[in-house]
mmCIF file of all heavy atoms in Angstrom:
data_model
loop_
_atom_site.group_PDB
_atom_site.id
_atom_site.type_symbol
_atom_site.label_atom_id
_atom_site.label_comp_id
_atom_site.label_asym_id
_atom_site.label_seq_id
_atom_site.Cartn_x
_atom_site.Cartn_y
_atom_site.Cartn_z
ATOM 1 N N TYR I 1 38.644 -20.530 138.838
ATOM 2 C CA TYR I 1 39.890 -19.839 139.147
ATOM 3 C C TYR I 1 40.583 -19.369 137.887
ATOM 4 O O TYR I 1 40.735 -20.094 136.914
ATOM 5 C CB TYR I 1 40.766 -20.721 140.035
ATOM 6 C CG TYR I 1 40.020 -21.023 141.312
ATOM 7 C CD1 TYR I 1 39.353 -22.239 141.491
ATOM 8 C CD2 TYR I 1 39.867 -20.032 142.279
ATOM 9 C CE1 TYR I 1 38.595 -22.468 142.627
ATOM 10 C CE2 TYR I 1 39.107 -20.260 143.418
ATOM 11 C CZ TYR I 1 38.476 -21.476 143.581
ATOM 12 O OH TYR I 1 37.710 -21.688 144.694
ATOM 13 N N GLY I 2 41.015 -18.094 137.939
ATOM 14 C CA GLY I 2 41.548 -17.443 136.756
ATOM 15 C C GLY I 2 40.474 -16.668 136.008
ATOM 16 O O GLY I 2 40.787 -15.952 135.054
ATOM 17 N N TYR I 3 39.236 -16.794 136.453
ATOM 18 C CA TYR I 3 38.116 -16.095 135.803
ATOM 19 C C TYR I 3 37.380 -15.224 136.819
ATOM 20 O O TYR I 3 36.160 -15.120 136.817
ATOM 21 C CB TYR I 3 37.164 -17.098 135.148
ATOM 22 C CG TYR I 3 37.806 -17.810 133.978
ATOM 23 C CD1 TYR I 3 38.496 -18.999 134.166
ATOM 24 C CD2 TYR I 3 37.768 -17.259 132.704
ATOM 25 C CE1 TYR I 3 39.116 -19.647 133.103
ATOM 26 C CE2 TYR I 3 38.384 -17.895 131.636
ATOM 27 C CZ TYR I 3 39.055 -19.088 131.844
ATOM 28 O OH TYR I 3 39.675 -19.710 130.782
ATOM 29 N N ASP I 4 38.191 -14.631 137.702
ATOM 30 C CA ASP I 4 37.603 -13.751 138.703
ATOM 31 C C ASP I 4 37.280 -12.404 138.083
ATOM 32 O O ASP I 4 38.041 -11.853 137.288
ATOM 33 C CB ASP I 4 38.534 -13.579 139.902
ATOM 34 C CG ASP I 4 39.964 -13.271 139.490
ATOM 35 O OD1 ASP I 4 40.450 -13.937 138.560
ATOM 36 O OD2 ASP I 4 40.581 -12.365 140.076
ATOM 37 N N MET I 5 36.107 -11.886 138.435
ATOM 38 C CA MET I 5 35.648 -10.605 137.912
ATOM 39 C C MET I 5 36.240 -9.466 138.743
ATOM 40 O O MET I 5 36.495 -9.613 139.942
ATOM 41 C CB MET I 5 34.118 -10.535 137.938
ATOM 42 C CG MET I 5 33.440 -11.643 137.154
ATOM 43 S SD MET I 5 31.635 -11.482 137.107
ATOM 44 C CE MET I 5 31.409 -10.252 135.819
ATOM 45 N N LYS I 6 36.448 -8.336 138.091
ATOM 46 C CA LYS I 6 37.040 -7.185 138.751
ATOM 47 C C LYS I 6 35.938 -6.236 139.202
ATOM 48 O O LYS I 6 35.025 -5.918 138.435
ATOM 49 C CB LYS I 6 37.988 -6.478 137.773
ATOM 50 C CG LYS I 6 38.673 -5.245 138.338
ATOM 51 C CD LYS I 6 39.494 -4.558 137.255
ATOM 52 C CE LYS I 6 40.096 -3.257 137.781
ATOM 53 N NZ LYS I 6 40.792 -2.505 136.704
ATOM 54 N N LYS I 7 36.052 -5.768 140.433
ATOM 55 C CA LYS I 7 35.084 -4.784 140.935
ATOM 56 C C LYS I 7 35.435 -3.426 140.335
ATOM 57 O O LYS I 7 36.549 -2.927 140.522
ATOM 58 C CB LYS I 7 35.129 -4.726 142.461
ATOM 59 C CG LYS I 7 34.017 -3.882 143.076
ATOM 60 C CD LYS I 7 34.055 -3.984 144.596
ATOM 61 C CE LYS I 7 32.932 -3.188 145.231
ATOM 62 N NZ LYS I 7 32.965 -3.266 146.706
ATOM 63 N N ILE I 8 34.500 -2.849 139.592
ATOM 64 C CA ILE I 8 34.806 -1.627 138.847
ATOM 65 C C ILE I 8 34.051 -0.408 139.367
ATOM 66 O O ILE I 8 34.189 0.676 138.801
ATOM 67 C CB ILE I 8 34.515 -1.812 137.346
ATOM 68 C CG1 ILE I 8 33.035 -2.168 137.115
ATOM 69 C CG2 ILE I 8 35.423 -2.867 136.738
ATOM 70 C CD1 ILE I 8 32.605 -2.075 135.666
ATOM 71 N N SER I 9 33.256 -0.572 140.406
ATOM 72 C CA SER I 9 32.548 0.590 140.962
ATOM 73 C C SER I 9 32.353 0.404 142.451
ATOM 74 O O SER I 9 32.256 -0.725 142.954
ATOM 75 C CB SER I 9 31.183 0.770 140.291
ATOM 76 O OG SER I 9 30.232 -0.120 140.819
ATOM 77 N N ASP I 10 32.282 1.534 143.144
ATOM 78 C CA ASP I 10 32.018 1.478 144.587
ATOM 79 C C ASP I 10 30.643 0.876 144.861
ATOM 80 O O ASP I 10 30.395 0.338 145.935
ATOM 81 C CB ASP I 10 32.089 2.887 145.188
ATOM 82 C CG ASP I 10 33.502 3.461 145.140
ATOM 83 O OD1 ASP I 10 34.457 2.655 145.036
ATOM 84 O OD2 ASP I 10 33.645 4.696 145.175
ATOM 85 N N GLY I 11 29.750 0.969 143.872
ATOM 86 C CA GLY I 11 28.401 0.435 144.040
ATOM 87 C C GLY I 11 28.311 -1.074 143.930
ATOM 88 O O GLY I 11 27.244 -1.649 144.157
ATOM 89 N N GLY I 12 29.400 -1.721 143.540
ATOM 90 C CA GLY I 12 29.406 -3.181 143.540
ATOM 91 C C GLY I 12 29.204 -3.836 142.193
ATOM 92 O O GLY I 12 28.706 -4.964 142.111
ATOM 93 N N ILE I 13 29.587 -3.149 141.101
ATOM 94 C CA ILE I 13 29.525 -3.756 139.771
ATOM 95 C C ILE I 13 30.842 -4.452 139.475
ATOM 96 O O ILE I 13 31.919 -3.893 139.707
ATOM 97 C CB ILE I 13 29.244 -2.692 138.683
ATOM 98 C CG1 ILE I 13 27.896 -2.009 138.944
ATOM 99 C CG2 ILE I 13 29.250 -3.329 137.292
ATOM 100 C CD1 ILE I 13 27.610 -0.845 138.007
ATOM 101 N N TYR I 14 30.752 -5.671 138.968
ATOM 102 C CA TYR I 14 31.922 -6.455 138.580
ATOM 103 C C TYR I 14 31.853 -6.727 137.079
ATOM 104 O O TYR I 14 30.763 -6.908 136.526
ATOM 105 C CB TYR I 14 31.943 -7.797 139.310
ATOM 106 C CG TYR I 14 32.191 -7.722 140.793
ATOM 107 C CD1 TYR I 14 31.197 -7.302 141.669
ATOM 108 C CD2 TYR I 14 33.429 -8.096 141.324
ATOM 109 C CE1 TYR I 14 31.421 -7.246 143.036
ATOM 110 C CE2 TYR I 14 33.668 -8.043 142.698
ATOM 111 C CZ TYR I 14 32.658 -7.614 143.542
ATOM 112 O OH TYR I 14 32.881 -7.564 144.896
ATOM 113 N N ASP I 15 33.051 -6.779 136.424
ATOM 114 C CA ASP I 15 33.034 -7.155 135.014
ATOM 115 C C ASP I 15 34.241 -8.003 134.630
ATOM 116 O O ASP I 15 35.225 -8.086 135.373
ATOM 117 C CB ASP I 15 32.889 -5.931 134.108
ATOM 118 C CG ASP I 15 34.174 -5.138 133.914
ATOM 119 O OD1 ASP I 15 35.167 -5.388 134.622
ATOM 120 O OD2 ASP I 15 34.174 -4.236 133.046
ATOM 121 N N LEU I 16 34.147 -8.633 133.457
ATOM 122 C CA LEU I 16 35.228 -9.479 132.927
ATOM 123 C C LEU I 16 34.946 -9.752 131.454
ATOM 124 O O LEU I 16 33.811 -10.055 131.084
ATOM 125 C CB LEU I 16 35.294 -10.810 133.692
ATOM 126 C CG LEU I 16 36.338 -11.829 133.214
ATOM 127 C CD1 LEU I 16 37.752 -11.321 133.466
ATOM 128 C CD2 LEU I 16 36.122 -13.180 133.910
ATOM 129 N N PHE I 17 35.987 -9.620 130.624
ATOM 130 C CA PHE I 17 35.894 -10.026 129.222
ATOM 131 C C PHE I 17 36.598 -11.366 129.060
ATOM 132 O O PHE I 17 37.752 -11.523 129.471
ATOM 133 C CB PHE I 17 36.537 -8.985 128.301
ATOM 134 C CG PHE I 17 36.358 -9.295 126.836
ATOM 135 C CD1 PHE I 17 35.236 -8.851 126.150
ATOM 136 C CD2 PHE I 17 37.296 -10.056 126.151
ATOM 137 C CE1 PHE I 17 35.052 -9.140 124.799
ATOM 138 C CE2 PHE I 17 37.123 -10.356 124.795
ATOM 139 C CZ PHE I 17 36.002 -9.900 124.130
ATOM 140 N N ILE I 18 35.899 -12.358 128.483
ATOM 141 C CA ILE I 18 36.482 -13.690 128.305
ATOM 142 C C ILE I 18 36.642 -13.975 126.818
ATOM 143 O O ILE I 18 35.651 -14.224 126.115
ATOM 144 C CB ILE I 18 35.616 -14.779 128.972
ATOM 145 C CG1 ILE I 18 35.482 -14.503 130.478
ATOM 146 C CG2 ILE I 18 36.207 -16.173 128.728
ATOM 147 C CD1 ILE I 18 34.669 -15.524 131.239
ATOM 148 N N PRO I 19 37.882 -13.929 126.309
ATOM 149 C CA PRO I 19 38.121 -14.271 124.905
ATOM 150 C C PRO I 19 37.743 -15.728 124.632
ATOM 151 O O PRO I 19 37.950 -16.606 125.490
ATOM 152 C CB PRO I 19 39.629 -14.058 124.729
ATOM 153 C CG PRO I 19 40.035 -13.208 125.890
ATOM 154 C CD PRO I 19 39.116 -13.565 127.006
ATOM 155 N N GLY I 20 37.162 -15.979 123.482
ATOM 156 C CA GLY I 20 36.800 -17.348 123.104
ATOM 157 C C GLY I 20 35.405 -17.757 123.511
ATOM 158 O O GLY I 20 34.835 -18.696 122.945
ATOM 159 N N ALA I 21 34.832 -17.073 124.503
ATOM 160 C CA ALA I 21 33.426 -17.335 124.833
ATOM 161 C C ALA I 21 32.565 -16.827 123.685
ATOM 162 O O ALA I 21 32.939 -15.890 122.981
ATOM 163 C CB ALA I 21 33.044 -16.654 126.135
ATOM 164 N N LYS I 22 31.394 -17.435 123.515
ATOM 165 C CA LYS I 22 30.588 -17.092 122.329
ATOM 166 C C LYS I 22 29.101 -17.274 122.598
ATOM 167 O O LYS I 22 28.707 -17.891 123.615
ATOM 168 C CB LYS I 22 31.007 -17.965 121.150
ATOM 169 C CG LYS I 22 30.791 -19.453 121.372
ATOM 170 C CD LYS I 22 31.389 -20.281 120.257
ATOM 171 C CE LYS I 22 31.090 -21.765 120.428
ATOM 172 N NZ LYS I 22 31.554 -22.305 121.714
ATOM 173 N N ALA I 23 28.293 -16.756 121.688
ATOM 174 C CA ALA I 23 26.838 -16.936 121.783
ATOM 175 C C ALA I 23 26.514 -18.422 121.792
ATOM 176 O O ALA I 23 27.095 -19.203 121.034
ATOM 177 C CB ALA I 23 26.145 -16.246 120.620
ATOM 178 N N GLY I 24 25.597 -18.801 122.678
ATOM 179 C CA GLY I 24 25.220 -20.207 122.815
ATOM 180 C C GLY I 24 25.876 -20.902 123.982
ATOM 181 O O GLY I 24 25.452 -21.990 124.391
ATOM 182 N N ASP I 25 26.922 -20.285 124.537
ATOM 183 C CA ASP I 25 27.617 -20.891 125.685
ATOM 184 C C ASP I 25 26.781 -20.741 126.956
ATOM 185 O O ASP I 25 26.212 -19.674 127.215
ATOM 186 C CB ASP I 25 28.974 -20.221 125.912
ATOM 187 C CG ASP I 25 30.020 -20.635 124.891
ATOM 188 O OD1 ASP I 25 29.779 -21.630 124.170
ATOM 189 O OD2 ASP I 25 31.077 -19.974 124.827
ATOM 190 N N MET I 26 26.760 -21.790 127.758
ATOM 191 C CA MET I 26 26.104 -21.736 129.061
ATOM 192 C C MET I 26 27.063 -21.167 130.099
ATOM 193 O O MET I 26 28.270 -21.390 130.022
ATOM 194 C CB MET I 26 25.641 -23.127 129.488
ATOM 195 C CG MET I 26 24.508 -23.685 128.654
ATOM 196 S SD MET I 26 23.916 -25.286 129.257
ATOM 197 C CE MET I 26 25.261 -26.354 128.772
ATOM 198 N N TYR I 27 26.507 -20.465 131.081
ATOM 199 C CA TYR I 27 27.358 -19.882 132.128
ATOM 200 C C TYR I 27 26.543 -19.581 133.378
ATOM 201 O O TYR I 27 25.305 -19.558 133.353
ATOM 202 C CB TYR I 27 28.026 -18.596 131.629
ATOM 203 C CG TYR I 27 27.085 -17.420 131.454
ATOM 204 C CD1 TYR I 27 26.998 -16.414 132.411
ATOM 205 C CD2 TYR I 27 26.266 -17.309 130.319
ATOM 206 C CE1 TYR I 27 26.135 -15.334 132.246
ATOM 207 C CE2 TYR I 27 25.406 -16.226 130.150
ATOM 208 C CZ TYR I 27 25.347 -15.241 131.120
ATOM 209 O OH TYR I 27 24.492 -14.182 130.967
ATOM 210 N N LYS I 28 27.271 -19.357 134.484
ATOM 211 C CA LYS I 28 26.699 -18.861 135.731
ATOM 212 C C LYS I 28 27.725 -17.963 136.410
ATOM 213 O O LYS I 28 28.895 -17.945 136.025
ATOM 214 C CB LYS I 28 26.317 -20.013 136.670
ATOM 215 C CG LYS I 28 24.977 -20.653 136.383
ATOM 216 C CD LYS I 28 24.563 -21.598 137.507
ATOM 217 C CE LYS I 28 23.175 -22.170 137.251
ATOM 218 N NZ LYS I 28 22.742 -23.069 138.351
ATOM 219 N N TYR I 29 27.273 -17.259 137.406
ATOM 220 C CA TYR I 29 28.192 -16.524 138.278
ATOM 221 C C TYR I 29 28.389 -17.342 139.547
ATOM 222 O O TYR I 29 27.406 -17.797 140.156
ATOM 223 C CB TYR I 29 27.634 -15.153 138.635
ATOM 224 C CG TYR I 29 27.498 -14.221 137.453
ATOM 225 C CD1 TYR I 29 26.257 -13.735 137.068
ATOM 226 C CD2 TYR I 29 28.614 -13.828 136.728
ATOM 227 C CE1 TYR I 29 26.128 -12.879 135.978
ATOM 228 C CE2 TYR I 29 28.499 -12.979 135.632
ATOM 229 C CZ TYR I 29 27.248 -12.512 135.260
ATOM 230 O OH TYR I 29 27.125 -11.678 134.182
ATOM 231 N N LEU I 30 29.653 -17.527 139.914
ATOM 232 C CA LEU I 30 29.976 -18.118 141.212
ATOM 233 C C LEU I 30 30.304 -16.960 142.138
ATOM 234 O O LEU I 30 31.292 -16.242 141.942
ATOM 235 C CB LEU I 30 31.168 -19.069 141.100
ATOM 236 C CG LEU I 30 31.762 -19.571 142.430
ATOM 237 C CD1 LEU I 30 30.720 -20.232 143.318
ATOM 238 C CD2 LEU I 30 32.938 -20.501 142.177
ATOM 239 N N ILE I 31 29.450 -16.757 143.117
ATOM 240 C CA ILE I 31 29.609 -15.636 144.042
ATOM 241 C C ILE I 31 29.994 -16.170 145.417
ATOM 242 O O ILE I 31 29.322 -17.055 145.965
ATOM 243 C CB ILE I 31 28.302 -14.824 144.135
ATOM 244 C CG1 ILE I 31 27.939 -14.258 142.741
ATOM 245 C CG2 ILE I 31 28.436 -13.697 145.148
ATOM 246 C CD1 ILE I 31 26.612 -13.526 142.697
ATOM 247 N N ILE I 32 31.092 -15.655 145.934
ATOM 248 C CA ILE I 32 31.520 -16.010 147.295
ATOM 249 C C ILE I 32 31.037 -14.915 148.226
ATOM 250 O O ILE I 32 31.392 -13.741 148.061
ATOM 251 C CB ILE I 32 33.057 -16.147 147.389
ATOM 252 C CG1 ILE I 32 33.583 -17.096 146.293
ATOM 253 C CG2 ILE I 32 33.455 -16.639 148.780
ATOM 254 C CD1 ILE I 32 33.025 -18.499 146.344
ATOM 255 N N SER I 33 30.200 -15.289 149.172
ATOM 256 C CA SER I 33 29.627 -14.306 150.088
ATOM 257 C C SER I 33 30.646 -13.897 151.145
ATOM 258 O O SER I 33 31.728 -14.486 151.264
ATOM 259 C CB SER I 33 28.382 -14.883 150.762
ATOM 260 O OG SER I 33 28.759 -15.861 151.716
ATOM 261 N N GLN I 34 30.284 -12.907 151.936
ATOM 262 C CA GLN I 34 31.177 -12.444 153.001
ATOM 263 C C GLN I 34 31.466 -13.545 154.017
ATOM 264 O O GLN I 34 32.536 -13.578 154.626
ATOM 265 C CB GLN I 34 30.562 -11.226 153.705
ATOM 266 C CG GLN I 34 30.540 -9.961 152.859
ATOM 267 C CD GLN I 34 31.925 -9.458 152.510
ATOM 268 O OE1 GLN I 34 32.885 -9.625 153.267
ATOM 269 N NE2 GLN I 34 32.051 -8.855 151.329
ATOM 270 N N SER I 35 30.535 -14.481 154.166
ATOM 271 C CA SER I 35 30.738 -15.584 155.110
ATOM 272 C C SER I 35 31.471 -16.759 154.474
ATOM 273 O O SER I 35 31.725 -17.762 155.135
ATOM 274 C CB SER I 35 29.388 -16.058 155.655
ATOM 275 O OG SER I 35 28.610 -16.634 154.603
ATOM 276 N N GLY I 36 31.799 -16.639 153.180
ATOM 277 C CA GLY I 36 32.527 -17.703 152.495
ATOM 278 C C GLY I 36 31.652 -18.713 151.785
ATOM 279 O O GLY I 36 32.139 -19.676 151.195
ATOM 280 N N GLU I 37 30.337 -18.494 151.793
ATOM 281 C CA GLU I 37 29.424 -19.413 151.113
ATOM 282 C C GLU I 37 29.550 -19.258 149.602
ATOM 283 O O GLU I 37 29.661 -18.135 149.087
ATOM 284 C CB GLU I 37 27.990 -19.116 151.546
ATOM 285 C CG GLU I 37 26.945 -20.056 150.944
ATOM 286 C CD GLU I 37 25.523 -19.678 151.323
ATOM 287 O OE1 GLU I 37 25.324 -18.622 151.970
ATOM 288 O OE2 GLU I 37 24.601 -20.426 150.955
ATOM 289 N N ALA I 38 29.556 -20.387 148.890
ATOM 290 C CA ALA I 38 29.622 -20.368 147.422
ATOM 291 C C ALA I 38 28.204 -20.419 146.855
ATOM 292 O O ALA I 38 27.459 -21.374 147.120
ATOM 293 C CB ALA I 38 30.443 -21.545 146.922
ATOM 294 N N LEU I 39 27.847 -19.401 146.077
ATOM 295 C CA LEU I 39 26.511 -19.313 145.483
ATOM 296 C C LEU I 39 26.634 -19.384 143.963
ATOM 297 O O LEU I 39 27.394 -18.618 143.363
ATOM 298 C CB LEU I 39 25.848 -17.990 145.880
ATOM 299 C CG LEU I 39 25.697 -17.722 147.389
ATOM 300 C CD1 LEU I 39 25.324 -16.274 147.637
ATOM 301 C CD2 LEU I 39 24.660 -18.650 147.991
ATOM 302 N N TYR I 40 25.898 -20.299 143.358
ATOM 303 C CA TYR I 40 25.914 -20.448 141.900
ATOM 304 C C TYR I 40 24.643 -19.798 141.347
ATOM 305 O O TYR I 40 23.548 -20.326 141.509
ATOM 306 C CB TYR I 40 25.987 -21.924 141.511
ATOM 307 C CG TYR I 40 27.306 -22.563 141.907
ATOM 308 C CD1 TYR I 40 27.486 -23.115 143.173
ATOM 309 C CD2 TYR I 40 28.371 -22.592 141.015
ATOM 310 C CE1 TYR I 40 28.698 -23.684 143.547
ATOM 311 C CE2 TYR I 40 29.593 -23.163 141.371
ATOM 312 C CZ TYR I 40 29.746 -23.701 142.637
ATOM 313 O OH TYR I 40 30.955 -24.263 142.990
ATOM 314 N N LYS I 41 24.814 -18.639 140.719
ATOM 315 C CA LYS I 41 23.672 -17.820 140.339
ATOM 316 C C LYS I 41 23.547 -17.660 138.823
ATOM 317 O O LYS I 41 24.540 -17.452 138.116
ATOM 318 C CB LYS I 41 23.799 -16.424 140.968
ATOM 319 C CG LYS I 41 23.624 -16.413 142.488
ATOM 320 C CD LYS I 41 22.181 -16.711 142.890
ATOM 321 C CE LYS I 41 21.951 -16.573 144.379
ATOM 322 N NZ LYS I 41 20.532 -16.777 144.733
ATOM 323 N N ALA I 42 22.308 -17.749 138.346
ATOM 324 C CA ALA I 42 22.023 -17.355 136.969
ATOM 325 C C ALA I 42 22.202 -15.849 136.855
ATOM 326 O O ALA I 42 22.124 -15.121 137.846
ATOM 327 C CB ALA I 42 20.607 -17.749 136.579
ATOM 328 N N ASP I 43 22.437 -15.381 135.638
ATOM 329 C CA ASP I 43 22.659 -13.958 135.385
ATOM 330 C C ASP I 43 21.325 -13.220 135.393
ATOM 331 O O ASP I 43 20.443 -13.517 134.590
ATOM 332 C CB ASP I 43 23.338 -13.814 134.019
ATOM 333 C CG ASP I 43 23.710 -12.380 133.690
ATOM 334 O OD1 ASP I 43 23.299 -11.463 134.424
ATOM 335 O OD2 ASP I 43 24.411 -12.178 132.677
ATOM 336 N N PRO I 44 21.144 -12.229 136.312
ATOM 337 C CA PRO I 44 19.872 -11.494 136.349
ATOM 338 C C PRO I 44 19.541 -10.803 135.034
ATOM 339 O O PRO I 44 18.369 -10.569 134.726
ATOM 340 C CB PRO I 44 20.103 -10.455 137.454
ATOM 341 C CG PRO I 44 21.176 -11.034 138.315
ATOM 342 C CD PRO I 44 22.066 -11.803 137.384
ATOM 343 N N TYR I 45 20.578 -10.449 134.244
ATOM 344 C CA TYR I 45 20.375 -9.728 132.983
ATOM 345 C C TYR I 45 20.534 -10.635 131.762
ATOM 346 O O TYR I 45 20.583 -10.142 130.630
ATOM 347 C CB TYR I 45 21.353 -8.559 132.874
ATOM 348 C CG TYR I 45 21.045 -7.407 133.808
ATOM 349 C CD1 TYR I 45 21.526 -7.393 135.113
ATOM 350 C CD2 TYR I 45 20.275 -6.331 133.393
ATOM 351 C CE1 TYR I 45 21.253 -6.335 135.969
ATOM 352 C CE2 TYR I 45 19.996 -5.269 134.242
ATOM 353 C CZ TYR I 45 20.488 -5.278 135.535
ATOM 354 O OH TYR I 45 20.205 -4.230 136.378
#
């Protein structure tokens, strides 16, 4: 919470800049589906 990504295209691209994050940090995307399911996903890219 407080780290929600903004939808920046009609095609479904989301982005966010996080100050203080750095190379070597571990992360995932928490995606809430239309049904409300919480999915913890590795970054495809």
Side-chain angles (χ1 to χ4, degrees):
Y1 300 100
Y3 293 90
D4 47 316
M5 302 184 80
K6 180 185 175 185
K7 189 175 182 181
I8 59 168
S9 79
D10 293 339
I13 299 174
Y14 291 75
D15 78 349
L16 178 67
F17 185 88
I18 301 181
K22 62 188 184 303
D25 285 346
M26 292 184 287
Y27 71 100
K28 278 191 176 181
Y29 295 118
L30 170 55
I31 299 176
I32 308 300
S33 73
Q34 290 296 329
S35 66
E37 182 184 5
L39 302 167
Y40 293 87
K41 291 290 186 176
D43 184 351
Y45 288 86

